[in-house]
């Protein structure tokens, strides 16, 4: 363990991640699962981005936001999985203090941007289905750029606020993190500094970026459902309900696990589940988003053909 002296205290300058090494005997299987998941996620999202850029039939607001989501998911999963995969091969996951804070900054910024972007996408569908005559007027090019750009800026601004507070903490040991990436709680609870204010900042921003966006998304789909019920064709109702239920399932999985980790007070039982919940919003959601939002869409299928 490398340490640096600061006055009379010994400060940690690197962390050791336990990852999934606490589960012996299944390391190779986990490596293969995460490797296949990462490759599938990256290739699936890259394929969607290429199709949206090259096919002029996909140059509309819905696919503009979908392209942003695919790019975000590619970056999101790439901040965590490559280092995790390397740890399976080396049997050790060591990360410097600055590297840990940098990983947390990008992870949190991308997660915050995704929360905003999912809400924007639900709003886009609400306008398209509930106010179709006003859709082209409301969702014009300027509005789309502002909504997408605002999602990215808000996510990284919130991340910068919390991450800027973390270097002020003092870590005097131990330096072992029982997690597979530099998440807030596993890192901060190793600090021997006063963490009261940084926890308040984290909780406030986590609340603002999870509960209101989730409720807005839910409200959008309630209005969409009410409009769909008025469609005379049973085939049309089934098609829209099928798509909306799939979207809402992924959104609920993403927001639900995020809120369980960042808003619910940690207990011994919940602490053991944090790693499982983290896999849901860092690995599973980026994998299924291309399937749910794209491959079930007829325009994407036509572009693939």
């Amino acid at each position: 363990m490398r340490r640096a002296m600061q006055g009379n205290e010994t400060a940690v300058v690197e962390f050791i991640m336990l990852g999934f090494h606490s589960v012996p005997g299944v390391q190779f299987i986990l490596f293969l699962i995460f490797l296949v998941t990462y490759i599938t996620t990256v290739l699936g999202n890259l394929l969607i981005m290429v199709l949206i850029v090259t096919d002029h039939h996909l140059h509309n607001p819905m696919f503009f936001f979908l392209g942003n989501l695919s790019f975000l998911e590619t970056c999101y999963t790439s901040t965590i999985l490559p280092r995790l995969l390397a740890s399976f091969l080396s049997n050790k996951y060591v990360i410097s203090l600055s590297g840990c804070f940098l990983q947390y900054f990008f992870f949190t910024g991308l997660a915050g941007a995704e929360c905003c972007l999912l809400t924007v996408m639900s709003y886009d569908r609400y306008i398209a289905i509930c106010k179709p005559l006003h859709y082209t007027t409301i969702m014009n090019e300027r509005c789309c750029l502002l909504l997408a750009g605002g999602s990215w800026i808000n996510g990284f601004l919130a991340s910068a606020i919390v991450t800027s507070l973390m270097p002020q903490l003092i870590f005097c040991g131990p330096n072992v993190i029982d997690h597979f990436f530099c998440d807030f709680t596993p890192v901060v609870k190793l600090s021997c500094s006063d963490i009261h204010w940084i926890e308040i900042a984290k909780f406030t921003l986590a609340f603002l970026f999870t509960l209101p966006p989730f409720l807005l998304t839910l409200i959008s789909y309630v209005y969409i459902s009410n409009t769909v019920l008025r469609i005379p064709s049973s085939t049309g109702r089934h098609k829209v309900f099928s798509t909306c239920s799939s979207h809402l399932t992924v959104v609920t999985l993403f927001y639900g696990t995020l809120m369980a980790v960042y808003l619910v007070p940690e207990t011994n039982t919940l602490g053991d589940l944090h790693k499982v919940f983290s896999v849901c919003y860092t690995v599973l959601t980026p994998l299924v988003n291309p399937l749910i939002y794209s491959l079930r869409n007829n325009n994407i299928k036509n572009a693939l053909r």
Side-chain angles (χ1 to χ4, degrees), residues 24-65:
V26 293
Q27 298 302 300
F28 182 68
I29 296 174
L30 288 174
F31 171 76
L32 288 179
I33 291 173
F34 283 117
L35 179 63
V36 171
T37 300
Y38 180 60
I39 292 173
T40 305
T41 300
V42 172
L43 290 181
N45 283 296
L46 285 176
L47 176 62
I48 291 166
M49 284 188 281
V50 170
L51 289 175
I52 290 172
V53 170
T54 56
D55 193 326
H56 70 277
H57 295 102
L58 304 180
H59 293 176
N60 59 52
M62 180 178 74
F63 292 107
F64 171 72
F65 295 129

Side-chain angles (χ1 to χ4, degrees), residues 221 240-251 292-293 296:
Y221 280 111
V240 177
F241 267 127
S242 175
T243 303
C244 290
S245 62
S246 300
H247 292 186
L248 203 54
T249 300
V250 178
V251 166
I292 297 299
Y293 282 99
R296 296 185 58 172

Side-chain angles (χ1 to χ4, degrees), residues 62 122-133 135 139:
M62 180 178 74
S122 68
Y123 173 71
D124 171 71
R125 291 299 83 205
Y126 160 73
I127 297 296
I129 295 172
C130 301
K131 300 179 183 294
L133 298 179
Y135 182 70
M139 301 304 293

Side-chain angles (χ1 to χ4, degrees), residues 64-80:
F64 171 72
F65 295 129
L66 182 58
N68 272 267
L69 182 66
S70 294
F71 177 68
L72 187 150
E73 298 287 26
T74 304
C75 299
Y76 186 59
T77 193
S78 296
T79 61
I80 295 168

Side-chain angles (χ1 to χ4, degrees), residues 198-216:
I198 191 173
E199 289 211 319
I200 290 176
K202 181 272 294 185
F203 180 85
T204 303
L205 291 170
F207 176 85
L208 292 174
F209 275 82
T210 53
L211 197 57
F214 177 63
L215 291 176
L216 287 172

Side-chain angles (χ1 to χ4, degrees), residues 178-179 189 265-277:
D178 187 14
H179 210 30
K189 73 179 182 181
E266 187 176 0
T267 61
N268 291 333
T269 305
L270 189 58
D272 295 334
L273 291 173
H274 271 189
K275 212 180 281 189
V276 177
F277 290 152

Side-chain angles (χ1 to χ4, degrees), residues 249-262:
T249 300
V250 178
V251 166
T252 304
L253 174 68
F254 178 71
Y255 283 117
T257 51
L258 269 179
M259 286 187 279
V261 171
Y262 289 99

